[in-house]
Structures are given as structure tokens and as C-alpha cells.
Amino acid sequence: MRCLSFYIDEEVFAVDVTLVREFARKLVVTPVLSAPDTVVGIANLKGRVITLLSLSELLGRKESIVKDWAAVTAAAIIFETFSGGANQIGLKVDRPGELIDIDEAAIRKPSLSTGAQESFCIAGIAEVGNALYRIIDIHSIIERLTSNDQGIIESRADEGDNNG
Amino acid sequence: MVILESDHLLGEFEAEAISHIGVIETAFLDMNDHTCDTDMMSNVFRAAHSLKGTAGFFKLKKIVDVSHELESFFTQIKDESIVISDDIVDVVLRSVDCLRLLIDNMQDDDAIEIEQIIKELRSYSGVARHVDIEEVGIPFDFKDPLISKALEEAARFGHRVYYVHINYNRSLGKLYTHPEILIQNILSVATIVEALVRPHSVTGTEEITIRELDQGLIAQKLVSVIIKHDTSTLELLVTSILEHDLFSIAIEVDKRHIRSLEREAMLKKEQAKISEGKAAVAGVPHTGSKLHEAKDNYSIRLNIATINTLLDLANEMILTRNQLFSVMPEDRKSMPGIAPVLHNLSRLTSEIQEKVMITRMQPISVIFDKFPRIIRDTAKSLNKEISVEILRDDVTLDKYLLESLTDPITQLVKNSADHGLESSENRIKAGKPAKGVLRLNAYMHDGSAVIEVQDDGAGIDTEALKRKALEQGTSTEQQLAAMSHAEVLSLVFCPGVSTAKKVTNLSGRGVGMDIVKTNIESLGGSVEIESELCKGTTVRLKMPLTLSVIRSLIVTIDSITYAVPDLNIERIVRIWSETSTKRIERINKSLVLCLDGRIIPVVTMNEIAAKAKGQPPVSVDEALDRSQHGGVVKCLVLRAGGKSFALLIDDALDTEQVLVKPLPAYLQNCSCYSNVTVLGNGKAVTILDAEGVMRFMELDDEGLQDTYVMTKDQGCNEPSEAKEKQVIIFKCSGSEHYAIETSDITRIEVIDPGEIQEIRRGTYINIADGTMRIVRPEDYAPVRKRAYNEEKLFVITLKESETPLGLLVRKVLDKVEARFELDKEQIQSDYLFGTSPYGEKILIFLNPQAIIEATQRDKPKIGAARKGGRI
């Protein structure tokens, strides 16, 4: 399996390259405040509006808070469209890595110790050279966001009510 | 079960078939007085025929059978052996329904019963079906059972019968087509029923007739006979699905050598009719329909996704053009000849975008054509007599808009038919014709499309409506008494008044009217209702032409950019400090805007985001703090569905025509955005949905009004002299300081005194679009006026003047924002608001409106001022 590797917070990840449409270096991001935290914002790529997702948030970590949104640009991996032109997504990354070949037999399932939040993002782990690549399962992420995110939001809404 | 050739082609067939049965349905519904015009009959005949032909190609036997029967039915109507009556129309409509069912279930039509409808269609004819072909001058015997059987079979599948005759002459050299190629060409598109070869030889001509069911064999035999002789005549009787022209092209034989036998028979019949003097115009519709056919070939079906992609690309092109223009200026001068090229590029890109946009537009007839049927069915079920009138200019609307309009219009039409129009007896009693009229009208007005649903029925009983509103408690007696006729009528749109049950004992109308109104407004349109008791009712929908492009205000909130549709914007308010007519107050935990005596709920983007994510919102004080910039709070007053709210913003940047794009699924957790778009600067932004925000935040300005009245003492309504104002301070020839509010002026310009021209009694200067009259403020204030001798002067252009009007002043000093206590006693003049101390100066406030009025009256100025001044 041919994979594109990328870095977020100096951690290395990989994604099946056949699912990747392109890599965009300087996307001007417009945040959408009301959207779930996993959505960084929207960006224009060649006339198409891309929804940018934050892998950090998906993995259950916090994205660094941006103070001034007027001039935020991000690098992102843009995926092929899976569910209609309007829903094309990109994954915000710190920097791209390189193309690597991963032997599918060498992919191990993520260990049980991985958090629940994380497990739906990660399809498996593979060791190439000295590096340990975590392979992103983009289909699972999309499925989770479009069908099940209601649950996430509701549970958060409960917390909010308690606080308020 | 049918074996499918290709899903893709089948999809095309479905679209085509639906348009064909649409033609038939419309034609028969239009037949109000049961007259049959030849032109229209040829249309429906052609539709049935084409349907049969294409269905034959896909081997959809049931569709073929029904359409075939329908076709011969139409032939008989054309022949006038069947006279159109209500029953006939019913039968045709039922066949159309049957066909529609078959088309909808193409993949699995086993369960669909067609025998009944076929039997019914046949019962009207009773005449045995036969293939009508012209036999004169054809060497084939059509009475031969084998031939007639083959032709009948062909006719069932909509194939046409052609007679092809070709002279073979090998000496033609290059022009000689090898018979094998010719036969192959023919067999690729047609079936040879019988062939006749006459080889030319010295001994005379012999005839070889070849008849084979196996097409391969027939080809072999033909070729072997023809190539034996240098010259021979080949005559073929073939059947093909293709029309005459296409057939000729497909087999590469000139049209002169091919005779379409059916058509000849048809023409001959019409000829006969003409000679009988029965239908002198029959020939004309024929050529007319021919033209029509040709036109049809110029249109193609396109997938909407293709158009949308094109539109995206066109917009991207515009964006790139804009970028090019922004980087080019430096190089422009150094590259001679580049300017016209850029100009051309700019024009072309705009044109492309416009043209692509137009491709999404569809005529209003797409939905109107459905209504005759709906009304006919409703009328039948209600046992009423209703005639339908459809008037339409060339109104075209965006495809999406049209689709969304179908339901509301259906609702209105059903309302009219059901509740608006009375039964025949009641109509006669009321002195109206027994047949009610329901009129659908569409026309363009002021850049929007207007759609009217009109009936000449009973109208709405406003008194009953008032009673209902009282009962429901939606309005009080005083309110109702103060309402105009139109306002009372608009009560039908209130949800409380218009629920079905409660309205039936009114005049009956109003079922789902609130839903209609909500739907139309969510599409950016508006609804009006006009009604007169006993005369009828008109409901008028005003729609934007397209949803693809909307005019939007671009705003920033917390340095994030948003687009807000112009349609929803009531006004932009700037609040400098707590003045009485404009201020923000706190009620409980939320903010309200007091604006000219109204109380409007205030929403911040922060609150929306917090609610969407289920987080506690930031406190209102913080929100207010954040949106203050230099002591100014700006907000947009937005209006949707008859209610208003205010949204705090940082800044309003610009208005722009934006192209709406669907909202990504990931952002749909709150209803506050309708769409996304890409701005001219390439930024992707969300488009705020005012109605959605209102729904999501559960805002209700009416409820708020009451709360506020209880907590406050109507403080909003009290006028006060102390207002925070932004003013321009300037000087004229004297030492006095003048002030004028910035909201009253449009611009300030520096001019050369030499530009000033005296024309008759007025003073003018030239401006970009004509001349502007200028006046001296001293003419309107009781102060000394001296001539200017400065090198440059200033002109302050006043707003709200019909003809351009400017104030000529010596020096513009400052722009300040402050609270001024106006003193009206010191100097009294109609042209002055009064004076106010500012620092060490005394400012004289000019009243621009009075000055404008004075110049328009053109009376001697100083005299009027003094006289009115009562000093």
C-alpha cells in the first residue's frame, strides 16, 4: 500500500495515497465557530469549498487556540470526494512527509490501550524503517462525523447545561 | 423482467419518455372545448410514436404495447373517426398514467396491468389495425402474408418502412460502393424484409427476388448476385427505427433513393384532405412541425452536476482574473498593448459566468404544466366546474427554485379550487357564470418573477377572519379595529388562524397558508394576498430569479468573515453611546437593542456558537465589550418571517454578489447558515441564515416587547435633546464654526474657485455626472457673507437632495463625535437646528433638509430665512 506520511505535533501519520486528491500548502481558513471542534473551518480550493478537519481534535486532543482568525493559513491534505461535491474534506496537518510503501501484512491493529476517541481514526500501525506510522482511516472519520456526531454534540450539550 | 441494455441509456430514455407523455397529457388537458387542431394532434402522435420507437429499442414490451395502442388511437382522432369527448380525454389520461407507472417501474413491470387500458383504447376504435403505407410504384406485394406480417411486427416496435432502390454500375469507378459494404450498412440499422435484384444483361432483365428471415443469409445472397453483373438495379423493402434523414445518412445512400412509405401515405391523405377543402391548413402545420423537429435536435440533456462544475470553474476564472488584475498594475505600463487584452479577458470571463448561470434557468412552464391536470382532478373530485387559464411570459427561474416552488403553488391552487371557488349552483345564485376560473399567471416585474394564483370565487370574509383572530387571541379588538383591509387579510398567514380545522368554518381559505409563507420566504421571496368578498382572491408570490447568486453584505465578527443576504438586512446601526433612540440594554441575561421605540433582541455570534456546541456563552458584558471599537458598537438589524433581531458585528466591509454553494454536511449542526460561498478575494465564508438564527436561538421580538415594557418604563420612546452625533466642523467666510451631521452628507471635495460658474441666479460646478448647484451656508444664517479669495475651497455634498446640491465652504476643520446640547434660543432660523458649545467654540448646526427645500423652491434665500427666523 502506497501511503503519504504527514506530521502533526511532530508525530508521524500516514494515509492511503489513492484517497488523496492533492496537498494544499497555504489554504486561507475561515473558522466556523458553531461547528464541532473537530472542524477547523472552511477554505476555498479552486472554487470548491473544503471542510478542514483537525486530526488533533479527532484524536481527542485540543487544537491550539487561534486568537486572530483574519490571517490564518493552513497546510492540508485534500481528499477525494466521497460523499457529494459539497462535502469534500481536508485534514489540517503541520507538514507533509513523503511517499512510503507499507506492506499491508505488516500493519498491526491499534492496541487496546488506545483511547476510544482515537480508535476510530486509526486503521492500524505499521513500522517502516525506524519510524512507527499510524495509518489514518478517513472513511471511518467521515462516517463518524456525518452520522454519529450528533451524539458527541448532545453529550457535550448536557455538560454545557450543567455548567450553565 | 427486462434485460437492460445500458443503465445510462435507460436514464436518458426515462427523461425522454417523461417529456413525451408530458406532451400528450398537456395537449389533452388543453382541449377545453374538445376541438382538435391538426398541429397539436401531429404533436401528440409524434410523441406516442417516438415513445413506442425508443421503448422498442429497449425491448420494454409493455410500454411499446400501450404507446402503440395510443398511437393508433390518435391516428383515428386525426382521421376524425373518433370524436373527442370527455370520456376520450379520460381514457387518454389514464393511458398516460399507466405509461408513467410503467416508466417509473421500468426494471420490474411484471405486476403492472396493461390489458385493461389497451382493451379500453381498442373499444373506441373497433376497427382492425392496419399498417398504412403507400404502395404505388413499389414492386413488392404488400398483400403477401409474409410481408404484411413482417411489416406489422415492425410497426409494433415503431419501425418505419422504407423502399430503397439503387442502381449499380461498376463503371462508376471510385463512386462505386461495394455491395457488401452497403448491405452491411443497411443491416446495422435496419431489417431487410424483401429484396429484388434486376441484373442488366444483353438478354434483357431478369428478376431475382430474395426473401430470407435470416439477415445474414439475405446479405450473402444479395452480394453474390450483385457482384456477378456490371450493372444491376437493387430494390429493397426495409424497416428501420431511424427517421428518413437519419436513415439516409446511416446507410450512406442519397435520400432520393429512399422512399418513406408511411410518410408518403400520410402526405397523400393530407393532400386528399386539402383537395376536399376540408382542412385547407393541414399542409401548413406539417411544415411547421417539421421546423419544430429540427429545433428539438439543437438541444441536449445535461447533468446538473456538469453545469455546477462549469459554474465553479467560471467563478474560479473570475477569481484568477481579479488576482491577475491586482498584480498587473506595475507591469501594465511597461507592456504596451496589454490593456485591451486584459479588458477583453475581463469581459469574456464575466460573460462566461453569466452564460453558465443561465443554463441553470428553466421556464416556469415546467411547473405550470402540471396544474391543469391537478385542477382537473380536484374539480372532478369536488364536483365543481373549473376552467384553467395559464398566462406566462418567458419567465425562467433557477432549477432549484422551481422545484421548491411546486409545493407552495400546488397548495395555493388546491386552496383556490377547494375553498375559493364555489359550487356551480352557488355561483349561479351569486350571478356568476357556472364555471369558475382559476388563473395562473407569471410575469417579470422589477427584476423578480411574480407568480399569481387567482380565482373568481367567494373571496375571503374579513369579518369572519377578524372573529377568528379574536377567538384565537392572536389580535385584540383594538388592534383589529386599527387594521387596514390588507392587514386583516394577512391574518390568514398567521399560524394560529390558519390551521385547517379552524378555517373551514371561515371562508375556508388559509389551509397551510403559514407554511406557504414560510416556504416562500425561506426561498427569499414574499407573499401578498388580495381578496374581495364575492369577487375572488389573488395570491401573489414574488420570487428572486435565482438562488445561485444573492446580493450579500460582507461583515466581520470577531475577525471572521461572513456573508449576510441583503434580503434580510433591515438596517445597519452604529451606536456611539447610550442615546435614547439607539442604545443597547440588558434584560435579564440577554441584550436588546432599543431602536426608535422598538425593542429588538440582540444576538452575538459567540452565543450562537456556544449554543451549537452546548457550551456556556460568554457573559453579555464581555460580548458587548468585544464588539466595541472606539466606543462604537455596530449591529445589523436582520429581518425574516416578519420578525427582527440584531446581530453584533465588528464591521461591514462591502456588498458583493455571491454564488451560493451547498453547505457541507459537517456544518449542519446548527441551522444558522444557509450556504457557503467563495468571495471575490478567494475566501470561503458561510452565509448566515437569518431565519435559521431566529429559529435556532428561539428569538421572539414580540414576546420581548412585553417583557421590556414591564421592566422598563417605555424609556425608549422619550425623545431627548442630548444625542451622540458625528459631525463635520467647517468654516465659511466669517469666524463662525458650522457643523453638519455626517449622516446628512455624501462627500467632501476640494475644488478650485475657478471651476465655479454663475448661471442666472444660481452657482454651479461641474461634477462627474453633470452639474451640481452649490450654495453658501452664509445665505441661510444670519451672519456676514464675504467673497472668498482662497486658492482652494471645499464642497460638502448633501444627501437626500433630488438634484445634486453642495455647500461651498472655506475650510473643513474636523470630524468629531460628541454629545451636543442644542440651544435653539440663541439664533432662530428655519435653516438652523441651533447652536451648541464644543470646547471653546460655538458650533452652528445647519439644517440641510431646510436648505434643500429652499433651493428647490428657489425663493430669495436671505429674505425667506430672515422672515422665517422671527428674530
Side-chain angles (χ1 to χ4, degrees), chain A residues 28 30-37 39 42-44 46-47 49 51 68-70 86-87 89 142 145-146 153 156-157 160 163, chain B residues 312 316 319 559-562 609 612-616 661-667 669-670 673 676-678 682-686:
Chain A
V28 179
T30 307
V32 181
L33 290 183
S34 62
D37 287 337
V39 175
I42 52 175
N44 164 31
K46 298 179 191 151
V49 175
T51 311
D68 181 20
W69 280 110
N87 297 331
I89 58 158
I142 289 171
L145 281 181
T146 44
I153 290 162
R156 283 190 189 168
N163 294 339
Chain B
D312 275 353
E316 195 59 18
L319 219 72
S559 66
I560 300 171
T561 315
Y562 299 87
K613 291 188 193 174
Q615 293 160 350
K661 288 163 182 285
L663 192 67
Y666 317 100
L667 308 183
N669 61 330
C670 87
Y673 314 110
V676 291
T677 186
V678 176
K683 216 172 197 176
V685 301
T686 50

Side-chain angles (χ1 to χ4, degrees), chain A residues 64-142:
Chain A
S64 50
I65 292 166
V66 181
K67 284 270 183 281
D68 181 20
W69 280 110
V72 172
T73 57
I77 293 173
I78 311 298
F79 291 91
E80 292 287 352
T81 34
F82 305 119
S83 51
N87 297 331
Q88 192 162 25
I89 58 158
L91 206 56
K92 180 176 170 284
V93 304
D94 288 346
R95 62 190 162 92
E98 64 259 291
L99 280 177
I100 46 167
D101 281 311
I102 294 179
D103 182 4
E104 278 179 60
I107 300 176
R108 286 182 284 116
K109 285 271 151 244
S111 66
L112 286 174
S113 61
T114 332
Q117 271 283 22
E118 220 175 304
S119 61
F120 75 89
C121 304
I122 310 288
I125 298 168
E127 197 173 350
V128 178
N130 285 327
L132 210 54
Y133 292 93
R134 296 207 274 165
I135 300 162
I136 297 297
D137 185 347
I138 197 71
H139 286 296
S140 154
I141 292 173
I142 289 171

